[in-house]
Amino acid sequence: QVQLVESGGGLVQAGGSLRLSCAASGRTFSNNGMGWFRQAPGKEREFVAAISWNGGSTRYADSVKGRFTISRDNAKNTMYLQMNSLKFEDTAVYYCAASESTFTVTSTRYNYWGQGTQVTVSS
């Protein structure tokens, strides 16, 4: 139902910023809750941020709260993750995800996943 493609990753110095984008295709995009997850080398995939279908609700992992901002533009079929004050610990592959639910922070409730984009933060 939904196809997702991430972009915007790259190499950045600690303290810098990046904005990730997730381009979605599919007739149900506007009805899907969306989220960002990340997976660091040797670690399990972890929750980063989630946004409801209409952008009215957001939720952040404690590790990124105050530094990252999730948003979406349904008219453009695009979701964003603005990452500020980046730390070395933020280094990971970041994945865009879409759920059949309208809003969820639970990874198992996400049904569609992008291919991931690498974010590397140097100290």
Side-chain angles (χ1 to χ4, degrees):
Q1 297 292 129
V2 180
Q3 185 177 10
L4 307 172
V5 180
E6 303 96 332
S7 62
L11 175 65
V12 65
Q13 288 272 12
S17 298
L18 285 173
R19 189 181 75 159
L20 305 183
S21 297
C22 174
S25 61
R27 295 183 181 274
T28 63
F29 172 77
S30 294
N31 298 322
N32 293 101
M34 302 285 291
W36 289 96
F37 292 76
R38 67 187 183 186
Q39 187 168 23
K43 291 190 173 183
E44 297 293 320
R45 188 172 298 182
E46 66 175 351
F47 169 76
V48 176
I51 188 166
S52 61
W53 71 278
N54 60 357
S57 299
T58 59
R59 185 82 169 273
Y60 298 92
D62 289 342
S63 59
V64 307
K65 190 175 298 182
R67 300 188 298 119
F68 291 10
T69 303
I70 189 171
S71 62
R72 66 191 295 170
D73 186 340
N74 288 351
K76 297 180 179 180
N77 289 346
T78 304
M79 179 180 66
Y80 307 95
L81 184 68
Q82 178 66 47
M83 305 185 295
N84 298 327
S85 301
L86 282 162
K87 304 175 179 179
F88 175 77
E89 307 92 85
D90 296 317
T91 296
V93 177
Y94 283 71
Y95 295 91
C96 171
S99 176
E100 293 179 356
S101 299
T102 55
F103 182 60
T104 183
V105 300
T106 304
S107 62
T108 55
R109 296 187 67 185
Y110 283 90
N111 308 99
Y112 310 98
W113 297 83
Q115 83 288 349
T117 186
Q118 177 71 49
V119 172
T120 302
V121 183
S122 62
S123 60

